[in-house]
């Protein structure tokens, strides 16, 4: 697909409708099976690992935002969402929309965190952003703890920090990675593998999905 497009300020433009996987379509249409992601085990503190292992199947299902129709939060919009993503960018703005239950996120680019006295726990948290070369880095704190990090019950605390990285190595592909830091649940920070998304092959619009 050639090089990625760029905005007027020279940074990579991440705009587009994106599907998980390599085909530019929903996975149901794909003849290319999803490759299992090879990731390091999450370094849970022993008491947290025991708590997650003890959860029943009912507890796991009823705690998932996709089941209870709560906001997916950060990083759930990327990690707990099988539906397509739409990104709209301007030099000072990042907008992320998904089909699932009208979830959306808006981030002002190149801004610091709010002052401590102005923060409150939010599903999308308080995000500071910066560019690292052609990679957009989003650092989020002050997260609402009701939205899990993964579907295994991995929960957030008031100390959770999520650092996301987005890059567009070529016109047709987008890549996403996130790091979790939380001394109350982890023995050290944990970073996911890069997830790959492909540009819509049919220039599709998002559909209403509640």
């Amino acid at each position: 697909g050639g090089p990625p497009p760029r905005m007027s300020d020279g940074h990579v433009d991440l705009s587009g409708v994106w599907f998980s996987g390599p085909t530019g379509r929903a996975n149901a249409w794909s003849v290319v099976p999803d490759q299992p992601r090879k990731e390091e085990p999450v370094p849970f503190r022993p008491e947290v690992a025991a708590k997650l292992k003890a959860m029943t199947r009912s507890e796991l299902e009823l705690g998932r935002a996709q089941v209870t129709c709560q906001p997916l939060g950060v990083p759930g919009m990327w990690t707990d969402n099988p539906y397509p993503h739409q990104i709209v960018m301007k030099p000072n703005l990042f907008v992320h929309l998904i089909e699932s239950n009208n979830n959306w996120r808006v981030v002002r680019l190149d801004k610091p965190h709010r002052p401590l006295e102005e923060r409150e726990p939010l599903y999308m948290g308080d995000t500071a952003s910066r560019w690292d070369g052609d990679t957009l880095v989003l650092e989020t704190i002050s997260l609402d703890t009701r939205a899990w990090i993964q579907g295994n019950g991995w929960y957030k605390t008031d100390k959770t920090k999520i650092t996301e990285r987005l890059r567009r190595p070529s016109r047709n592909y987008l890549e996403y990675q996130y790091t979790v830091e939380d001394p109350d649940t982890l023995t050290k920070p944990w970073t996911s593998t890069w997830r790959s998304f492909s540009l819509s092959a049919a220039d599709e619009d998002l559909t209403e999905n509640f």
Side-chain angles (χ1 to χ4, degrees), residues 76-88:
M77 282 181 65
W78 291 101
T79 61
D80 189 25
N81 168 42
Y83 300 100
H85 306 254
Q86 183 165 10
I87 292 177
V88 181

Side-chain angles (χ1 to χ4, degrees), residues 40 47 91 103 106 127 130 132 152 154 156 160 164 183 201 203:
E40 292 292 322
E47 65 275 17
N103 278 254
V106 175
T127 300
R130 59 184 170 84
D132 181 8
N152 61 352
W154 183 2
K156 300 169 183 146
T160 302
E164 302 165 282
D203 194 26

Side-chain angles (χ1 to χ4, degrees), residues 14-20 24-25 83-88 97 99 168 172 174 197-207:
L14 305 176
S15 298
V17 174
W18 302 95
F19 286 92
S20 179
R25 295 189 170 136
Y83 300 100
H85 306 254
Q86 183 165 10
I87 292 177
V88 181
L97 313 170
E99 286 185 2
R168 188 175 187 173
N172 288 336
L174 179 75
F197 299 82
S198 49
L199 190 65
S200 170
D203 194 26
E204 297 186 39
D205 296 322
L206 299 188
T207 59

Side-chain angles (χ1 to χ4, degrees), residues 3-210:
R6 294 185 179 270
M7 298 182 290
S8 58
D9 64 354
H11 288 301
V12 170
D13 188 350
L14 305 176
S15 298
V17 174
W18 302 95
F19 286 92
S20 179
T23 64
R25 295 189 170 136
N27 286 351
W29 294 96
S30 174
V31 296
V32 181
D34 289 338
Q35 295 296 317
R37 287 186 292 273
K38 296 180 181 179
E39 295 181 321
E40 292 292 322
V42 180
F44 291 119
R45 296 176 63 89
E47 65 275 17
V48 176
K51 180 178 180 179
L52 300 184
K53 186 178 181 180
M55 293 183 72
T56 66
R57 183 168 180 177
S58 294
E59 288 172 331
L60 287 171
E61 285 299 310
L62 294 175
R64 292 183 57 232
Q66 288 283 22
V67 173
T68 59
C69 300
Q70 295 185 69
L72 293 172
V74 177
M77 282 181 65
W78 291 101
T79 61
D80 189 25
N81 168 42
Y83 300 100
H85 306 254
Q86 183 165 10
I87 292 177
V88 181
M89 286 197 75
K90 295 183 178 182
N92 67 338
L93 196 66
F94 171 88
V95 180
H96 182 195
L97 313 170
I98 61 175
E99 286 185 2
S100 178
N101 285 316
N102 199 30
N103 278 254
W104 56 272
R105 181 186 186 190
V106 175
V107 177
R108 294 283 180 183
L109 299 182
D110 295 321
K111 79 171 187 66
H113 290 297
R114 294 186 182 94
L116 181 62
E117 64 274 11
E118 295 181 14
R119 295 178 201 162
E120 59 179 320
L122 300 171
Y123 282 99
M124 301 303 169
D126 179 70
T127 300
S129 62
R130 59 184 170 84
W131 286 95
D132 181 8
D134 284 341
T135 300
L136 178 62
V137 181
L138 306 174
E139 297 178 344
T140 302
I141 56 176
S142 190
L143 286 154
D144 191 301
T145 59
R146 286 174 288 182
W148 290 347
I149 295 171
Q150 291 183 357
N152 61 352
W154 183 2
Y155 56 91
K156 300 169 183 146
T157 75
D158 59 0
K159 296 179 183 176
T160 302
K161 176 182 176 181
I162 309 287
T163 301
E164 302 165 282
R165 299 172 187 84
L166 289 128
R167 64 189 185 190
R168 188 175 187 173
S170 64
R171 172 177 167 77
N172 288 336
Y173 289 93
L174 179 75
E175 295 177 332
Y176 174 84
Q177 181 191 66
Y178 67 103
T179 297
V180 183
E181 300 174 61
D182 188 343
D184 284 350
T185 59
L186 304 177
T187 59
K188 62 180 180 179
W190 179 85
T191 299
S192 74
T193 189
W194 287 95
R195 297 168 182 247
S196 182
F197 299 82
S198 49
L199 190 65
S200 170
D203 194 26
E204 297 186 39
D205 296 322
L206 299 188
T207 59
E208 185 174 293
N209 189 329
F210 289 94

